[in-house]
Structures are given as structure tokens and as C-alpha cells.
Amino acid sequence: MTKSKQPLSSFPWNIPATKPDRPLSLAMQRLYENYAAPRPEDNPLFSSFKYTKVEGLDYRNNDGTVSRRDPSKIIKVNGCYYMWYTKRDTISPPRGAEHCSDTVPSTDWDLAEIWFATSKDGFTWEEQGVAIKRPEKPLLGWRSVSTPDILVWEGKYYLYYQAFMEASGLKGDHCPVTVSVSDSPDGPWAPTHEQTVPNGEAGAWDQFSIHDPYPLVYQGKIYLYYKAAFGERPEYLVGNGLAIAEHPLGPFKKHPLNPVLNSGHETAFFPFENGIAALATRNGNENNTIQFSPDGVQFSIASVTSMMPVAAGPFIPNAFNNAQNSEGIQWGMCHFSDKADPTTKHSFIARFDCNLMRNGSNKELKETDVIHSPDVFFAQALTPDERACREEQFSIDKHYD
Ligand code: AAL
């Protein structure tokens, strides 16, 4: 006699492609409601990341006097990839706000200029020279110009960047954003000397700084994302806001719902399908997530990942064409900051690869079980003070006797 098949009471072995019609734990509900697919391998906005050191950029034996960081998004012009970045070439590594001078930098991005490099393959780069020099005092950015990003609009090129009027670290990392214009990615660049994205009004979350300007063209307008850290340190948050303009020189109108991302430092944004995706790397409850917004404003977590690129500047083929059926990103440049030895502190630019492609049939770079070498963990060692404090606490803590 054959046993009649009973309806299964357990969650099935064969992963249902859509939400099954049965009671679900919150976790399993999220799996079906919050993500594009239950398996990350099938989620176009999930990726693991791989890194490659690049050829062609010299760091003076890593002595800390040369630093390159915060690469822009990458664009391709006449078969050549272009990136712009902060370059510091100073007589010493950063010495902190107390010890800085006209020639000694306070931070890694103090006394910096904006340089650019080109590449045929994204692995070997050729530095082409300075794009934006520090202007004469008291013009905007006389102390330092840093953290650039690029916009192409109606045949012209616009570089947005942080313009410091004092050494960063003196009061905070205070600066507005300005813009320079050129007819060619090779320059020359004409500075506007204007605060293109000004700081917020007194008391606002972005009152002191507009960091990491990141322009895209979306819905026929310039959507410029930016970061600000707010709250008195050490109790602060890092948020990302949006400022929208009809012309690259502004006026930029800040979105009333700012901040639009509650986490993410040096956040990279890219058009994806008909919306905007973001790499929320570092800082905040939602660090290490990739997020998506159907309208460029309302972001939700699309995936949780690890080892995300710091200060990512992806190659975005269609950054400026209104995010229509956008494919996504596969690689870009990022930076690593070598802070282990304060006497040689600097950053260097490297390449990352990922798979954040829509309709990607290829399943490479979708690894959720990324294993680090023990060194990575032990590099996060307790400081001597933290260890002493824990030893003391443990010796008096009788709760576990
Ligand atoms: C980076 C960026 C901005 C900050 C500083 C240089 O991480 O967020 O550019 O001002 O650090």
C-alpha cells in the first residue's frame, strides 16, 4: 500500500523561489521580503570584493611624505580610464593639528592637491599631473583641496572637491565643496572659487562640513551626494545627504529628508536599474551594506557584505545618463590607509573588483563565507590600556565564579 503524501510541516528542502504560503519566522520573512532573491548568489546587489595593488604610482618608499587617497569615480574617455584623487606630497607625514605648519600637514588630506591618472586596463596607471592646485590665500581651498569627484554635463567636465580654509583637525574636519570646470578631462581647470555646496545652517547636521561630493545625473538633474559627520565627538554619526541642481554650478538644493543614508563613509553611489545603489562602507548601524533606492532618496538595505572597498570610486559607464536600465558596476579604485606606524602614515590607491551587475548570469565574486587570515584579526589587538582595564575588571568580576 502506498502512503499518501502528507503536506510538509517543515520548511522545505528545495528553496522556494518566492515566499512560501506558510507561517514564517521574521528572519525567513526578511529573506523573501527584503532581498531580491533568497540566495545572495542570485541577488544582483550582493557581491564579495577582491583587491589588486596597482602599477605605476610611486610612494617614495612609503615614507609617509606621499599619499594618494579618495579616488573619484572612474570615467572612460577616448578609450582611456581617468581617475582624480587627493595627492599629498609634503616634507613630512601628517603630524596632527597641534604640530602642523604651512608645510607640515595636520592630517593625511591636509596641504593636498588634486591629481589625475589614466589607464588602459585599470591595473596600470600613469600619473598625468596636477588637476587642481591650492589657490592663493585667502581663496577657497587655499589650505587644502581634496576628495574630488567628476561630472560630465553637456560636453564639459566638472570636478567637485573639498576646499579647506584651515588645517583639518584644528576645530574638526570643516570645509565646504567647490567646483572647477574644463572642456577636457586633461584640463586646464577653471576654478569657480565659490561654495558650490555650502555647509548647512547653524545647528544643522551638516553645519561644519560637506565631504565626499559625489555627482550623478538622475531624472535630468544633478544628484550630488555628500557626507557629513554630526554630533560632538566621540559621540557622532556619519550620514549622507543629497543636494540637487539643474546646472553643475548650482544652485544646489538640499533634500528636505537629509540625511538619506544613516551609515557610510566615503560612500560610492551608482545607477542601478532605474534607481540608485550605494556602497555603505564603514560607520554606523548599516555599515557593510549595499543599499538601493528606486528614486535616489529612499534607500533600503539590499545586501549585507564584508571587506567593502574604502573610499570606492567605481567605473560607472552610465553615471551621467539618468539611470535608465543601468547595468551596475564591476570594478573601481579605492584606498588603503597605512596607519600602523605614525611616522610613515599615508594612503595608497588600489583596485577592487566586484559583481554588482544586473542580470548577471555569472556567479563569480558572490562569496558569503569570506575567510580572513588570523593576522587580520590580531591586527585588531587590544591597546595596552584596554588590556589593563580588562585584566582589572576580570580580576574583580566574581559573577562567573
Ligand atoms: C575621507 C573623506 C573626506 C574627509 C577626509 C578626506 O575619509 O571622508 O576626505 O574630509 O577623510
Side-chain angles (χ1 to χ4, degrees):
M1 219 174 88
T2 50
K3 226 175 148 190
S4 70
K5 233 182 166 185
Q6 295 293 316
L8 198 62
S9 63
S10 306
F11 195 87
W13 160 266
N14 284 324
I15 305 161
T18 53
K19 192 166 86 170
D21 183 16
R22 67 187 304 279
L24 289 173
S25 66
L26 282 178
M28 294 309 276
Q29 212 169 298
R30 277 202 304 280
L31 199 59
Y32 285 95
E33 289 176 359
N34 292 21
Y35 302 101
R39 297 184 72 245
E41 291 81 350
D42 305 318
N43 177 355
L45 280 176
F46 172 80
S47 183
S48 44
F49 296 89
K50 298 228 166 160
Y51 296 90
T52 311
K53 289 185 179 166
V54 298
E55 309 288 324
L57 302 174
D58 181 69
Y59 291 88
R60 206 171 283 139
N61 289 324
N62 299 321
D63 68 359
T65 60
V66 175
S67 190
R68 291 186 189 81
R69 53 178 296 141
D70 290 304
S72 66
K73 69 172 81 68
I74 316 290
I75 61 167
K76 197 174 186 185
V77 187
N78 298 330
C80 217
Y81 295 112
Y82 280 74
M83 73 165 163
W84 291 262
Y85 46 88
T86 306
K87 182 177 179 187
R88 176 178 60 74
D89 185 342
T90 47
I91 59 166
S92 78
R95 297 271 189 244
E98 330 70 77
H99 304 295
C100 72
S101 69
D102 286 352
T103 50
V104 174
S106 59
T107 57
D108 196 22
W109 53 96
D110 186 29
L111 296 176
E113 297 179 324
I114 291 162
W115 284 55
F116 74 116
T118 58
S119 172
K120 288 282 178 203
D121 59 8
F123 289 97
T124 299
W125 289 84
E126 200 179 323
E127 190 158 75
Q128 300 294 343
V130 66
I132 314 284
K133 286 188 171 159
R134 290 193 282 138
E136 291 294 306
K137 195 172 178 178
L139 289 170
L140 212 57
W142 67 266
R143 175 71 200 188
S144 192
V145 288
S146 82
T147 327
D149 202 21
I150 187 79
L151 167 73
V152 186
W153 176 270
E154 293 179 353
K156 283 190 187 289
Y157 295 79
Y158 296 84
L159 266 182
Y160 296 83
Y161 48 95
Q162 300 179 191
F164 286 91
M165 306 296 280
E166 61 180 29
S168 60
L170 275 183
K171 294 202 284 284
D173 197 23
H174 297 180
C175 61
V177 156
T178 188
V179 65
S180 287
V181 192
S182 177
D183 290 329
S184 151
D186 300 306
W189 295 89
T192 57
H193 300 304
E194 301 277 339
Q195 295 198 9
T196 316
V197 187
N199 297 351
E201 76 267 29
W205 73 289
D206 55 355
Q207 64 178 329
F208 295 129
S209 52
I210 305 290
H211 288 165
D212 303 311
Y214 197 103
L216 295 170
V217 176
Y218 188 51
Q219 298 182 347
K221 296 184 178 160
I222 295 136
Y223 272 48
L224 186 145
Y225 294 93
Y226 65 93
K227 173 206 101 187
F230 57 109
E232 271 328 306
R233 282 176 193 249
E235 288 157 13
Y236 71 105
L237 270 177
V238 175
N240 290 263
L242 168 64
I244 301 175
E246 310 220 346
H247 185 273
L249 303 185
F252 277 90
K253 203 163 169 256
K254 292 185 182 168
H255 199 282
L257 296 182
N258 280 347
V260 296
L261 272 188
N262 64 32
S263 304
H265 196 123
E266 300 148 325
T267 308
F269 295 82
F270 56 97
F272 189 80
E273 296 178 342
N274 297 327
I276 306 283
L279 302 181
T281 311
R282 298 176 59 200
N283 296 96
N285 277 319
E286 297 180 1
N287 79 89
N288 278 324
T289 63
I290 298 171
Q291 309 216 2
F292 178 72
S293 69
D295 60 358
V297 176
Q298 300 286 20
F299 285 86
S300 313
I301 295 174
S303 73
V304 179
T305 182
S306 66
M307 287 193 93
M308 294 183 77
V310 170
F315 168 55
I316 309 179
N318 63 338
F320 314 120
N321 75 358
N322 293 306
Q324 307 247 303
N325 299 316
S326 297
E327 290 296 330
I329 59 168
Q330 295 185 87
W331 68 277
M333 307 302 285
C334 61
H335 76 216
F336 290 85
S337 291
D338 195 348
K339 297 181 180 166
D341 179 352
T343 65
T344 58
K345 201 163 151 184
H346 69 290
S347 304
F348 61 93
I349 288 178
R351 170 180 167 125
F352 72 89
D353 281 85
C354 61
N355 181 0
L356 291 166
M357 293 296 281
R358 187 171 82 115
N359 301 332
S361 51
N362 131 22
K363 300 289 178 229
E364 59 163 12
L365 300 180
K366 295 276 183 189
E367 181 59 73
T368 50
D369 193 19
V370 177
I371 306 292
H372 307 299
S373 78
D375 290 351
V376 173
F377 291 85
F378 290 117
Q380 303 298 319
L382 289 171
T383 63
D385 280 356
E386 284 166 346
R387 179 166 170 160
C389 178
R390 269 150 203 264
E391 281 171 345
E392 193 189 337
Q393 184 192 336
F394 197 70
S395 67
I396 55 168
D397 190 347
K398 300 287 177 226
H399 293 304
Y400 306 112
D401 277 356

